[in-house]
Amino acid sequence: MADLANTGSLQLRDVTKMFGTFRAVDSVNLDIQKGEFLTLLGPSGSGKTTLLMMIAGFLDITHGDIALDGASIADVPAEKRNFGMVFQGYALFPHMSVRDNVGYALSVRKKPAPEIKTRVDEMLELVQLQDFADRKPTQLSGGQQQRVALARALCFAPPVLLLDEPLGALDKKLRVEVQEQLKDIHRRIGTTFIYVTHDQEEALSMSDRIVIMRDGSIEQVGTPKELYERPATRFAASFLGKSNFITQGVKTFALRPEKIDLRVGQGGDDARTSGTIRSITYFGSMQRIIVDTAQGDEIEVDIDVWRNQEALSVGAAVDLLWQDAAAVELKET
Amino acid sequence: MNALRKHIHPGWLIIAPLLVMVMALYLGPILNILWLSVTDPEPGFGNYAKLGESDALIRILWTTVRICIITTVFSVTLGYSIAYAMMHCHQRQKNYMLTLLLVSFWISILVRTFSWLMLLGRRGLVNVALEDIGLIAEPIAFMRNELGVLIGMIHYMIPYAVLPLLVSMQAIDQRVMDASRNLGASGSQTFLRIYLPLTTPGLVASTLLVFILSLGFYVTPAVLGGGKVLMVAEYISVQLLVTLQWGTAAMLAALMLFGVLAMLWIMSRFMKLSTVFGGAAR
Ligand SMILES: Nc1ncnc2c1ncn2[C@@H]1O[C@H](COP(=O)(O)OP(=O)(O)OP(=O)(O)O)[C@@H](O)[C@H]1O
Ligand SMILES: [Mg+2]
């Protein structure tokens, strides 16, 4: 896999996709570093799959340009782009064994059989499916099928791997497990991963950078921490994690629920605002408390269960406190 | 009674009368034919022995098989391209083509056969037109020969070939084809290595259907063959109605039955018949 040490960066310039008069993807500009784990995050219909399909070459771009390592690939057909792809639902070849599925990319490139065998064994080991080489896809569990799809897409050492909600069909527990494996594989092979999901936790825990998409355009790009700590817009703040919004004059601030402290009793001079508790919901590791403020707003506060064990009850009067840095000013209201 | 109930699902009791009736109406006549073939005109395998003695019989069987094979090859090949085109055009055109396909099922076989005579007969549209332009001096003999029989039979069989193919093509996930391209396969590689294997059950079903239907074809060979192309079905009817040799007729019918069963048996050695006839593809 040494041959791709210097390839795998992508440049998207004004990429736009129209379906009739509808803009599914709208002037997307993005530089993707080689070896990066980039996540496209957004609600349903925000254009994630469409953008991915244009990168893969299955959809023509209406205008704009996509370049690999600086050279435009807009006119290169899908089968010549050499991008690996893990499809939503995996799209394994049902009539072929796991081994033939994984080796397909090499065998259509007419590589000699021994070379294919070595490489396939290597890939099966990477995804820990050595013992399943002779099974058919229908004889595998969802998680195993997912790993076959991954091995198949990585077998020809593509510079870029595209994944469209690869964990969508798995249950919660398995998802977390496969997330770890995916991260681990990414670290080991250093391929650029472009990952589509609408699961914000998945995006936060796996990505080097996250692109938040909304109605076909990019809302905000940044590392998970940047996006969480400094959301630029109301949409970004509420899509990635939970957020309270506070208006002061013409300015709006986003305030994460876990960054607020709560003190029983009213009128402390360090209090930002005060109010009464409307509800308390217990989540095990923390409790979510909704406070109606004197100004008529509703503020959510997440606090550890072990704190404030005294007199927290619905209807109690409380002061709310937070640090200056906790309130992030938003660009738009 | 209770013990019985444990072993036999009550549902069976409800359908039992129908089951018995169907078995009687189906198996009865078949057994009767088998019986006739070894008893008429006298007990023994005399009828079957004729196969070894009579060149004419062998020639008829060979004509039948040859015509059936050619018909099947052309119908299934053409049917495959038609089904493929239907799957890959716009929804509107697809509905249009599907309607045409169904309409052809509703038109009587006699009408469809005679229309070929109007088109391709000695004084048919095509010959007259070609003569008028001066391209040919003598009418081309499209009809009243084996070519005529083949044209008529292939035309009649194509819709039957299309339907099973359409079903198996419809079941293919477009993403599987995309995946193949994404992995670097060219169009023809994708077709040969993914599309064709995935439509093989449909191909087999369509081949069996067309071949078996062709074996018993009667009207088209009789009309378009002009008496020169004798196939088994027509010969059987002659034995029944003209020469009254029911034993020979029964023997030929039994032979066709065994032929079809043997074919199904050979196929079942290569693939599960349930996948061919629309069972779960596994
Ligand atoms: N072939 C098409 N023709 C017309 N509109 C389309 C087509 N494909 C997608 N769209 C529209 O483009 C928009 C973006 O679709 P896309 O599939 O990219 O969304 P997505 O972000 O992947 O959503 P999801 O999370 O539900 O998969 C949607 O509004 C969709 O209806
Ligand atoms: Mg999608």
Side-chain angles (χ1 to χ4, degrees), chain B residues 180-214:
Chain B
S180 168
R181 273 181 67 200
N182 174 259
L183 290 165
S186 64
S188 55
Q189 279 173 322
T190 300
F191 180 79
L192 289 176
R193 301 180 59 160
I194 311 292
Y195 203 83
L196 201 54
L198 287 180
T199 48
T200 301
L203 265 177
V204 174
S206 152
T207 304
L208 282 178
L209 185 66
V210 171
F211 190 83
I212 292 171
L213 283 176
S214 310

Side-chain angles (χ1 to χ4, degrees), chain B residues 18 33 44 93 99 103 123-124 136 166 177 179 184 192 198 206-207 220 241 254 267 281:
Chain B
L18 290 172
I33 284 179
Q93 287 153 316
T99 312
V103 164
R123 302 296 319 148
I136 51 172
L166 210 53
M177 313 303 294
L192 289 176
L198 287 180
S206 152
T207 304
T220 306
L241 304 175
M267 287 318 308

